[in-house]
Amino acid sequence: MGAQVALLGLDFGSTTSCAVAASATLTRAAGSGRVELGALEERYRSEMALTPLAGDALDLDAAAALLDRWLAEAGVEPGALFGGGAIITGLAARRRNADGLAALIRARVGEALLAVAEDPCLESWVAFMGSAAPLSRARPGEPLINLDIGGGTTNLALGLAGEVLRTGCLLVGARHVALDPRSRRIVSLSPEAQAAFDHLGIRRGPGDALSQAEAEAVVAFHVELLEAAIAGRAEAFAAPAAARHVQVPFALPEGTAAPTLTFSGGVGELIYAGLAGRPLPEPAHHGDLGVDLARAILASPRLCARVATPASMGRATAYGLLRHATQLSGATLFLPRPERLPLRDLPILARLSPASADAELDHAVDLFRRSPRGGCLEIALDDVSAPAVRLLGGRLAGALRRAGPIPEHPLVLLTAQNAGKALGGYVTGWGALPVDLLVIDEVQARGARFVQLGRMRDQVLPVSFYGMTP
């Protein structure tokens, strides 16, 4: 242990993009023996860059040049990266070639980095972890909602004691109305902006000048949606124009106390500047409604009644990906064929436990057989005694045998407990059952739908999850 590793976080957003690089040390906890990332030190933080666009698409050549520049400035060799993540968010994720940017990032950076386009719940989670998690851990009994407000979306996450309990996403952001900064003429409107204009009776379109009063009406509508979301007022989204702005519903658990709020993202930076008494730019300064939206939030008693200031602002998504997108496997993982790694985009097909009926196990195995690239089963193990693990392993083996010919693609079992080798041994009959099985232990899937496994490094396997459920 003590090996140094490199981490990278990338965020391509509606308006701006950025990179954060850091180094960390693989350390073994004295009490549990668990391998952890320690001594995290930020090595590089890029300047904010405009997200490169070419008409209604992302400019992939310019994005590649931007990524190469960041890597060179950070002194990061792609092959040396251990983990982290890249996410394409907001309106950038809705460009027709967003998946092409994700593929470009993977080709440039290699297998270590998770790269996804538009996973709003993952973005909500990583923004909370990158911005609000330390504050939430310091106030363990206090519910805290982080609002990550960028150009295209507001990603919401409710946390308690540092753990995210709920996520959601509203299509509320600065750049749904793009303006010429000098003339205030409308350059473009997103479908959501058009719905808001229609709802408000604003008869304006591309080429028309937008008055300050009209801009204020639009952001007031957005603020009403944010106020309803943090208060748990689902009925406020019943009207067609409001419903058009919901990407993933944000539902507060019943009985949640009045939460403290934190902000991140580009609009979040403006909000904290205003709270600190610093002057904000003139409206339309950035060619959008970001300044107007920040001013309207600052004027909202509901949104500014209980605000806390996190240490990291503005780049919470990139930092959260860098620090929290990658988990480390336990020391007892079952990995008879390490040459099979890396494995990408494996779906988590089912969540099972010793209480699951045989029919549930059979259904999960059938899904695995039908999945062309293989799949994962999440296993909840409260009892890790040898008899309990042996019984569950035998039942899984029975389900595999009953299903017929076992496919060649990989089956991955994920468990939070330290039982990987034992469970893998019992499922395979210590090599008798011809299944390409991996058991990754001491990882938390956190309700994700997909998993990515990197290559082994110093006897540690980096594991990343995405496709988070609300």
Short mmCIF file of all heavy atoms in Angstrom, two decimals, residues 396-452:
data_model
loop_
_atom_site.label_atom_id
_atom_site.label_comp_id
_atom_site.label_asym_id
_atom_site.label_seq_id
_atom_site.Cartn_x
_atom_site.Cartn_y
_atom_site.Cartn_z
N LEU A 396 -27.75 -20.00 -5.84
CA LEU A 396 -27.43 -19.32 -7.09
C LEU A 396 -26.89 -20.30 -8.12
O LEU A 396 -27.24 -20.24 -9.32
CB LEU A 396 -26.43 -18.20 -6.85
CG LEU A 396 -26.96 -16.95 -6.16
CD1 LEU A 396 -25.83 -16.05 -5.70
CD2 LEU A 396 -27.88 -16.17 -7.11
N ALA A 397 -26.06 -21.24 -7.68
CA ALA A 397 -25.54 -22.26 -8.59
C ALA A 397 -26.69 -23.10 -9.15
O ALA A 397 -26.72 -23.43 -10.34
CB ALA A 397 -24.53 -23.14 -7.86
N GLY A 398 -27.66 -23.45 -8.29
CA GLY A 398 -28.81 -24.21 -8.74
C GLY A 398 -29.61 -23.46 -9.80
O GLY A 398 -30.06 -24.05 -10.79
N ALA A 399 -29.78 -22.15 -9.61
CA ALA A 399 -30.50 -21.34 -10.59
C ALA A 399 -29.77 -21.31 -11.92
O ALA A 399 -30.39 -21.38 -13.00
CB ALA A 399 -30.71 -19.93 -10.06
N LEU A 400 -28.44 -21.23 -11.89
CA LEU A 400 -27.66 -21.24 -13.12
C LEU A 400 -27.79 -22.58 -13.85
O LEU A 400 -27.94 -22.63 -15.07
CB LEU A 400 -26.19 -20.94 -12.82
CG LEU A 400 -25.87 -19.48 -12.46
CD1 LEU A 400 -24.51 -19.36 -11.80
CD2 LEU A 400 -25.92 -18.60 -13.71
N ARG A 401 -27.78 -23.66 -13.10
CA ARG A 401 -27.92 -24.99 -13.72
C ARG A 401 -29.31 -25.18 -14.31
O ARG A 401 -29.46 -25.74 -15.41
CB ARG A 401 -27.62 -26.09 -12.69
CG ARG A 401 -26.16 -26.18 -12.26
CD ARG A 401 -25.92 -27.45 -11.46
NE ARG A 401 -24.54 -27.53 -11.01
CZ ARG A 401 -24.11 -27.12 -9.83
NH1 ARG A 401 -24.98 -26.58 -8.97
NH2 ARG A 401 -22.85 -27.23 -9.50
N ARG A 402 -30.33 -24.73 -13.62
CA ARG A 402 -31.69 -24.90 -14.11
C ARG A 402 -31.94 -24.12 -15.40
O ARG A 402 -32.82 -24.47 -16.18
CB ARG A 402 -32.70 -24.44 -13.05
CG ARG A 402 -32.83 -25.36 -11.86
CD ARG A 402 -34.04 -25.00 -11.00
NE ARG A 402 -33.99 -23.69 -10.40
CZ ARG A 402 -33.40 -23.40 -9.24
NH1 ARG A 402 -32.80 -24.38 -8.55
NH2 ARG A 402 -33.41 -22.18 -8.75
N ALA A 403 -31.19 -23.05 -15.59
CA ALA A 403 -31.44 -22.17 -16.73
C ALA A 403 -30.98 -22.77 -18.05
O ALA A 403 -31.34 -22.27 -19.11
CB ALA A 403 -30.74 -20.83 -16.51
N GLY A 404 -30.17 -23.83 -18.01
CA GLY A 404 -29.68 -24.43 -19.24
C GLY A 404 -28.25 -24.03 -19.52
O GLY A 404 -27.50 -23.68 -18.59
N PRO A 405 -27.84 -24.06 -20.80
CA PRO A 405 -26.45 -23.73 -21.13
C PRO A 405 -26.06 -22.35 -20.60
O PRO A 405 -26.79 -21.38 -20.79
CB PRO A 405 -26.44 -23.76 -22.67
CG PRO A 405 -27.59 -24.63 -23.04
CD PRO A 405 -28.64 -24.41 -21.99
N ILE A 406 -24.92 -22.29 -19.96
CA ILE A 406 -24.47 -21.02 -19.37
C ILE A 406 -23.71 -20.22 -20.41
O ILE A 406 -22.77 -20.74 -21.03
CB ILE A 406 -23.58 -21.29 -18.14
CG1 ILE A 406 -24.39 -22.02 -17.05
CG2 ILE A 406 -23.02 -19.99 -17.58
CD1 ILE A 406 -23.57 -22.47 -15.88
N PRO A 407 -24.10 -18.98 -20.67
CA PRO A 407 -23.41 -18.17 -21.70
C PRO A 407 -21.99 -17.83 -21.29
O PRO A 407 -21.60 -17.95 -20.12
CB PRO A 407 -24.28 -16.92 -21.80
CG PRO A 407 -25.00 -16.84 -20.49
CD PRO A 407 -25.20 -18.24 -20.02
N GLU A 408 -21.22 -17.40 -22.27
CA GLU A 408 -19.81 -17.08 -22.02
C GLU A 408 -19.61 -15.69 -21.46
O GLU A 408 -18.54 -15.39 -20.94
CB GLU A 408 -19.01 -17.21 -23.32
CG GLU A 408 -18.95 -18.64 -23.86
CD GLU A 408 -18.10 -18.73 -25.11
OE1 GLU A 408 -17.58 -17.67 -25.56
OE2 GLU A 408 -17.95 -19.85 -25.64
N HIS A 409 -20.62 -14.83 -21.55
CA HIS A 409 -20.40 -13.47 -21.06
C HIS A 409 -20.37 -13.45 -19.52
O HIS A 409 -20.87 -14.36 -18.87
CB HIS A 409 -21.43 -12.49 -21.63
CG HIS A 409 -22.86 -12.90 -21.46
ND1 HIS A 409 -23.74 -13.05 -22.51
CD2 HIS A 409 -23.58 -13.16 -20.34
CE1 HIS A 409 -24.92 -13.38 -22.05
NE2 HIS A 409 -24.85 -13.44 -20.74
N PRO A 410 -19.78 -12.39 -18.95
CA PRO A 410 -19.50 -12.38 -17.50
C PRO A 410 -20.73 -12.13 -16.64
O PRO A 410 -21.61 -11.35 -16.99
CB PRO A 410 -18.48 -11.25 -17.34
CG PRO A 410 -18.78 -10.33 -18.48
CD PRO A 410 -19.21 -11.20 -19.62
N LEU A 411 -20.74 -12.79 -15.50
CA LEU A 411 -21.71 -12.53 -14.44
C LEU A 411 -20.95 -11.94 -13.26
O LEU A 411 -20.00 -12.54 -12.76
CB LEU A 411 -22.41 -13.82 -14.02
CG LEU A 411 -23.35 -13.72 -12.80
CD1 LEU A 411 -24.49 -12.76 -13.07
CD2 LEU A 411 -23.87 -15.09 -12.40
N VAL A 412 -21.38 -10.75 -12.82
CA VAL A 412 -20.72 -10.07 -11.71
C VAL A 412 -21.69 -10.00 -10.54
O VAL A 412 -22.83 -9.56 -10.69
CB VAL A 412 -20.28 -8.64 -12.11
CG1 VAL A 412 -19.66 -7.92 -10.92
CG2 VAL A 412 -19.32 -8.68 -13.29
N LEU A 413 -21.24 -10.46 -9.38
CA LEU A 413 -22.01 -10.31 -8.14
C LEU A 413 -21.39 -9.17 -7.34
O LEU A 413 -20.17 -9.10 -7.19
CB LEU A 413 -21.99 -11.60 -7.32
CG LEU A 413 -22.47 -12.88 -8.02
CD1 LEU A 413 -22.47 -14.04 -7.04
CD2 LEU A 413 -23.85 -12.69 -8.63
N LEU A 414 -22.22 -8.28 -6.84
CA LEU A 414 -21.78 -7.13 -6.06
C LEU A 414 -22.33 -7.25 -4.65
O LEU A 414 -23.52 -7.49 -4.46
CB LEU A 414 -22.30 -5.82 -6.67
CG LEU A 414 -21.99 -5.57 -8.15
CD1 LEU A 414 -22.85 -4.44 -8.68
CD2 LEU A 414 -20.51 -5.24 -8.32
N THR A 415 -21.47 -7.10 -3.67
CA THR A 415 -21.94 -7.14 -2.29
C THR A 415 -21.17 -6.15 -1.44
O THR A 415 -19.99 -5.89 -1.69
CB THR A 415 -21.81 -8.56 -1.69
OG1 THR A 415 -22.25 -8.54 -0.33
CG2 THR A 415 -20.37 -9.06 -1.75
N ALA A 416 -21.85 -5.59 -0.46
CA ALA A 416 -21.19 -4.63 0.43
C ALA A 416 -20.38 -5.33 1.51
O ALA A 416 -19.60 -4.67 2.22
CB ALA A 416 -22.24 -3.72 1.07
N GLN A 417 -20.56 -6.63 1.65
CA GLN A 417 -19.89 -7.36 2.72
C GLN A 417 -18.57 -7.95 2.25
O GLN A 417 -18.29 -8.07 1.05
CB GLN A 417 -20.80 -8.48 3.24
CG GLN A 417 -22.15 -8.02 3.72
CD GLN A 417 -22.04 -7.00 4.84
OE1 GLN A 417 -21.20 -7.14 5.70
NE2 GLN A 417 -22.91 -5.98 4.81
N ASN A 418 -17.75 -8.34 3.21
CA ASN A 418 -16.43 -8.91 2.94
C ASN A 418 -16.57 -10.42 2.78
O ASN A 418 -16.26 -11.19 3.69
CB ASN A 418 -15.49 -8.55 4.11
CG ASN A 418 -14.07 -8.99 3.85
OD1 ASN A 418 -13.78 -9.63 2.85
ND2 ASN A 418 -13.18 -8.62 4.75
N ALA A 419 -17.08 -10.84 1.61
CA ALA A 419 -17.36 -12.27 1.42
C ALA A 419 -17.16 -12.71 -0.02
O ALA A 419 -17.74 -13.71 -0.45
CB ALA A 419 -18.80 -12.57 1.86
N GLY A 420 -16.38 -11.97 -0.80
CA GLY A 420 -16.27 -12.23 -2.22
C GLY A 420 -15.74 -13.60 -2.57
O GLY A 420 -16.36 -14.33 -3.36
N LYS A 421 -14.61 -13.98 -2.01
CA LYS A 421 -14.00 -15.26 -2.37
C LYS A 421 -14.88 -16.43 -1.97
O LYS A 421 -15.06 -17.38 -2.75
CB LYS A 421 -12.63 -15.38 -1.72
CG LYS A 421 -11.56 -14.54 -2.40
CD LYS A 421 -10.19 -14.77 -1.78
CE LYS A 421 -9.14 -13.94 -2.52
NZ LYS A 421 -7.80 -14.06 -1.91
N ALA A 422 -15.45 -16.36 -0.79
CA ALA A 422 -16.28 -17.47 -0.33
C ALA A 422 -17.53 -17.61 -1.19
O ALA A 422 -17.88 -18.72 -1.63
CB ALA A 422 -16.67 -17.26 1.13
N LEU A 423 -18.20 -16.50 -1.47
CA LEU A 423 -19.42 -16.56 -2.27
C LEU A 423 -19.11 -17.06 -3.68
O LEU A 423 -19.83 -17.92 -4.22
CB LEU A 423 -20.08 -15.18 -2.33
CG LEU A 423 -21.41 -15.10 -3.09
CD1 LEU A 423 -22.45 -16.04 -2.49
CD2 LEU A 423 -21.94 -13.66 -3.09
N GLY A 424 -18.04 -16.56 -4.28
CA GLY A 424 -17.65 -17.02 -5.61
C GLY A 424 -17.32 -18.49 -5.63
O GLY A 424 -17.70 -19.22 -6.57
N GLY A 425 -16.64 -18.97 -4.59
CA GLY A 425 -16.30 -20.39 -4.53
C GLY A 425 -17.53 -21.27 -4.45
O GLY A 425 -17.64 -22.29 -5.15
N TYR A 426 -18.51 -20.87 -3.63
CA TYR A 426 -19.71 -21.69 -3.47
C TYR A 426 -20.59 -21.65 -4.72
O TYR A 426 -21.22 -22.65 -5.08
CB TYR A 426 -20.51 -21.23 -2.25
CG TYR A 426 -19.84 -21.60 -0.94
CD1 TYR A 426 -19.57 -20.64 0.03
CD2 TYR A 426 -19.48 -22.92 -0.67
CE1 TYR A 426 -18.95 -20.97 1.22
CE2 TYR A 426 -18.85 -23.27 0.53
CZ TYR A 426 -18.60 -22.29 1.46
OH TYR A 426 -17.99 -22.62 2.65
N VAL A 427 -20.65 -20.49 -5.42
CA VAL A 427 -21.46 -20.42 -6.64
C VAL A 427 -20.87 -21.31 -7.73
O VAL A 427 -21.60 -22.03 -8.43
CB VAL A 427 -21.58 -18.97 -7.14
CG1 VAL A 427 -22.24 -18.92 -8.52
CG2 VAL A 427 -22.38 -18.12 -6.15
N THR A 428 -19.56 -21.28 -7.90
CA THR A 428 -18.92 -22.04 -8.98
C THR A 428 -18.61 -23.48 -8.58
O THR A 428 -18.14 -24.25 -9.43
CB THR A 428 -17.60 -21.36 -9.40
OG1 THR A 428 -16.70 -21.33 -8.27
CG2 THR A 428 -17.85 -19.95 -9.90
N GLY A 429 -18.89 -23.85 -7.34
CA GLY A 429 -18.50 -25.19 -6.89
C GLY A 429 -17.00 -25.36 -6.93
O GLY A 429 -16.50 -26.42 -7.28
N TRP A 430 -16.31 -24.27 -6.62
CA TRP A 430 -14.85 -24.24 -6.62
C TRP A 430 -14.29 -24.68 -7.97
O TRP A 430 -13.36 -25.46 -8.09
CB TRP A 430 -14.28 -25.09 -5.47
CG TRP A 430 -14.90 -24.69 -4.17
CD1 TRP A 430 -15.88 -25.36 -3.52
CD2 TRP A 430 -14.63 -23.52 -3.41
NE1 TRP A 430 -16.26 -24.67 -2.38
CE2 TRP A 430 -15.50 -23.53 -2.28
CE3 TRP A 430 -13.76 -22.44 -3.57
CZ2 TRP A 430 -15.52 -22.52 -1.34
CZ3 TRP A 430 -13.77 -21.44 -2.61
CH2 TRP A 430 -14.64 -21.49 -1.51
N GLY A 431 -14.93 -24.12 -9.04
CA GLY A 431 -14.44 -24.33 -10.39
C GLY A 431 -15.21 -25.35 -11.21
O GLY A 431 -14.97 -25.49 -12.41
N ALA A 432 -16.16 -26.04 -10.60
CA ALA A 432 -16.89 -27.09 -11.32
C ALA A 432 -17.95 -26.53 -12.28
O ALA A 432 -18.26 -27.16 -13.28
CB ALA A 432 -17.56 -28.04 -10.33
N LEU A 433 -18.49 -25.36 -11.96
CA LEU A 433 -19.55 -24.78 -12.79
C LEU A 433 -18.93 -23.81 -13.80
O LEU A 433 -18.23 -22.87 -13.40
CB LEU A 433 -20.56 -24.03 -11.91
CG LEU A 433 -21.86 -23.58 -12.57
CD1 LEU A 433 -22.70 -24.78 -12.99
CD2 LEU A 433 -22.65 -22.68 -11.63
N PRO A 434 -19.14 -24.02 -15.10
CA PRO A 434 -18.46 -23.20 -16.11
C PRO A 434 -19.11 -21.83 -16.33
O PRO A 434 -19.71 -21.56 -17.36
CB PRO A 434 -18.58 -24.07 -17.37
CG PRO A 434 -19.87 -24.80 -17.19
CD PRO A 434 -19.98 -25.07 -15.71
N VAL A 435 -19.03 -20.98 -15.33
CA VAL A 435 -19.57 -19.64 -15.45
C VAL A 435 -18.44 -18.64 -15.26
O VAL A 435 -17.57 -18.81 -14.40
CB VAL A 435 -20.69 -19.40 -14.40
CG1 VAL A 435 -20.19 -19.65 -12.98
CG2 VAL A 435 -21.27 -18.01 -14.53
N ASP A 436 -18.43 -17.62 -16.10
CA ASP A 436 -17.42 -16.56 -16.02
C ASP A 436 -17.86 -15.59 -14.92
O ASP A 436 -18.50 -14.58 -15.18
CB ASP A 436 -17.30 -15.86 -17.37
CG ASP A 436 -16.19 -14.81 -17.39
OD1 ASP A 436 -15.43 -14.73 -16.41
OD2 ASP A 436 -16.11 -14.07 -18.39
N LEU A 437 -17.51 -15.93 -13.67
CA LEU A 437 -18.03 -15.21 -12.51
C LEU A 437 -16.97 -14.32 -11.88
O LEU A 437 -15.81 -14.71 -11.73
CB LEU A 437 -18.52 -16.22 -11.46
CG LEU A 437 -19.13 -15.60 -10.19
CD1 LEU A 437 -20.50 -15.01 -10.49
CD2 LEU A 437 -19.23 -16.64 -9.08
N LEU A 438 -17.39 -13.12 -11.50
CA LEU A 438 -16.60 -12.21 -10.67
C LEU A 438 -17.47 -11.83 -9.48
O LEU A 438 -18.66 -11.56 -9.65
CB LEU A 438 -16.20 -10.94 -11.41
CG LEU A 438 -15.37 -11.01 -12.69
CD1 LEU A 438 -16.23 -11.34 -13.89
CD2 LEU A 438 -14.67 -9.65 -12.92
N VAL A 439 -16.89 -11.79 -8.30
CA VAL A 439 -17.60 -11.31 -7.12
C VAL A 439 -16.81 -10.14 -6.55
O VAL A 439 -15.65 -10.31 -6.13
CB VAL A 439 -17.80 -12.39 -6.05
CG1 VAL A 439 -18.67 -11.85 -4.91
CG2 VAL A 439 -18.45 -13.63 -6.65
N ILE A 440 -17.42 -8.96 -6.58
CA ILE A 440 -16.78 -7.74 -6.11
C ILE A 440 -17.39 -7.39 -4.76
O ILE A 440 -18.60 -7.16 -4.67
CB ILE A 440 -16.98 -6.57 -7.09
CG1 ILE A 440 -16.69 -7.02 -8.53
CG2 ILE A 440 -16.14 -5.38 -6.70
CD1 ILE A 440 -15.30 -7.54 -8.75
N ASP A 441 -16.59 -7.37 -3.73
CA ASP A 441 -17.13 -7.12 -2.39
C ASP A 441 -16.70 -5.76 -1.86
O ASP A 441 -15.86 -5.08 -2.43
CB ASP A 441 -16.77 -8.24 -1.42
CG ASP A 441 -15.26 -8.40 -1.22
OD1 ASP A 441 -14.48 -7.66 -1.86
OD2 ASP A 441 -14.86 -9.27 -0.43
N GLU A 442 -17.38 -5.35 -0.78
CA GLU A 442 -17.12 -4.09 -0.09
C GLU A 442 -17.35 -2.87 -0.98
O GLU A 442 -16.62 -1.88 -0.92
CB GLU A 442 -15.72 -4.06 0.52
CG GLU A 442 -15.53 -5.12 1.61
CD GLU A 442 -14.25 -4.92 2.39
OE1 GLU A 442 -14.17 -3.96 3.15
OE2 GLU A 442 -13.33 -5.75 2.22
N VAL A 443 -18.38 -2.95 -1.84
CA VAL A 443 -18.77 -1.80 -2.66
C VAL A 443 -20.27 -1.55 -2.47
O VAL A 443 -21.03 -2.47 -2.19
CB VAL A 443 -18.45 -2.00 -4.16
CG1 VAL A 443 -16.96 -2.03 -4.40
CG2 VAL A 443 -19.12 -3.26 -4.70
N GLN A 444 -20.67 -0.30 -2.63
CA GLN A 444 -22.07 0.11 -2.48
C GLN A 444 -22.58 0.59 -3.83
O GLN A 444 -22.08 1.57 -4.38
CB GLN A 444 -22.19 1.25 -1.45
CG GLN A 444 -21.74 0.87 -0.05
CD GLN A 444 -22.83 0.15 0.73
OE1 GLN A 444 -23.95 0.00 0.25
NE2 GLN A 444 -22.51 -0.28 1.93
N ALA A 445 -23.60 -0.09 -4.35
CA ALA A 445 -24.14 0.28 -5.67
C ALA A 445 -24.99 1.55 -5.60
O ALA A 445 -25.21 2.20 -6.62
CB ALA A 445 -24.95 -0.86 -6.24
N ARG A 446 -25.51 1.90 -4.44
CA ARG A 446 -26.29 3.13 -4.22
C ARG A 446 -27.45 3.26 -5.21
O ARG A 446 -27.74 4.34 -5.70
CB ARG A 446 -25.38 4.35 -4.34
CG ARG A 446 -24.25 4.40 -3.32
CD ARG A 446 -23.55 5.76 -3.39
NE ARG A 446 -22.45 5.86 -2.45
CZ ARG A 446 -21.18 5.65 -2.76
NH1 ARG A 446 -20.86 5.33 -4.00
NH2 ARG A 446 -20.23 5.76 -1.87
N GLY A 447 -28.10 2.18 -5.51
CA GLY A 447 -29.26 2.25 -6.38
C GLY A 447 -28.94 2.50 -7.83
O GLY A 447 -29.82 2.88 -8.61
N ALA A 448 -27.69 2.26 -8.25
CA ALA A 448 -27.30 2.49 -9.64
C ALA A 448 -27.86 1.39 -10.54
O ALA A 448 -28.30 0.34 -10.09
CB ALA A 448 -25.77 2.53 -9.76
N ARG A 449 -27.82 1.66 -11.84
CA ARG A 449 -28.30 0.69 -12.82
C ARG A 449 -27.18 0.08 -13.66
O ARG A 449 -27.39 -0.93 -14.33
CB ARG A 449 -29.33 1.34 -13.73
CG ARG A 449 -30.59 1.78 -13.01
CD ARG A 449 -31.70 2.18 -13.97
NE ARG A 449 -31.36 3.34 -14.76
CZ ARG A 449 -31.60 4.60 -14.39
NH1 ARG A 449 -32.15 4.84 -13.22
NH2 ARG A 449 -31.28 5.61 -15.16
N PHE A 450 -26.00 0.70 -13.65
CA PHE A 450 -24.89 0.20 -14.46
C PHE A 450 -23.60 0.27 -13.65
O PHE A 450 -23.45 1.11 -12.76
CB PHE A 450 -24.72 1.01 -15.75
CG PHE A 450 -25.88 0.91 -16.69
CD1 PHE A 450 -26.92 1.83 -16.62
CD2 PHE A 450 -25.95 -0.10 -17.62
CE1 PHE A 450 -28.00 1.74 -17.48
CE2 PHE A 450 -27.04 -0.21 -18.48
CZ PHE A 450 -28.06 0.72 -18.41
N VAL A 451 -22.64 -0.60 -14.01
CA VAL A 451 -21.36 -0.64 -13.31
C VAL A 451 -20.24 -0.73 -14.34
O VAL A 451 -20.41 -1.28 -15.43
CB VAL A 451 -21.30 -1.83 -12.32
CG1 VAL A 451 -21.32 -3.16 -13.06
CG2 VAL A 451 -20.09 -1.73 -11.41
N GLN A 452 -19.12 -0.16 -13.98
CA GLN A 452 -17.90 -0.25 -14.79
C GLN A 452 -16.77 -0.73 -13.90
O GLN A 452 -16.57 -0.20 -12.80
CB GLN A 452 -17.56 1.11 -15.39
CG GLN A 452 -16.23 1.15 -16.14
CD GLN A 452 -16.03 2.46 -16.85
OE1 GLN A 452 -16.89 2.90 -17.60
NE2 GLN A 452 -14.90 3.11 -16.62
#
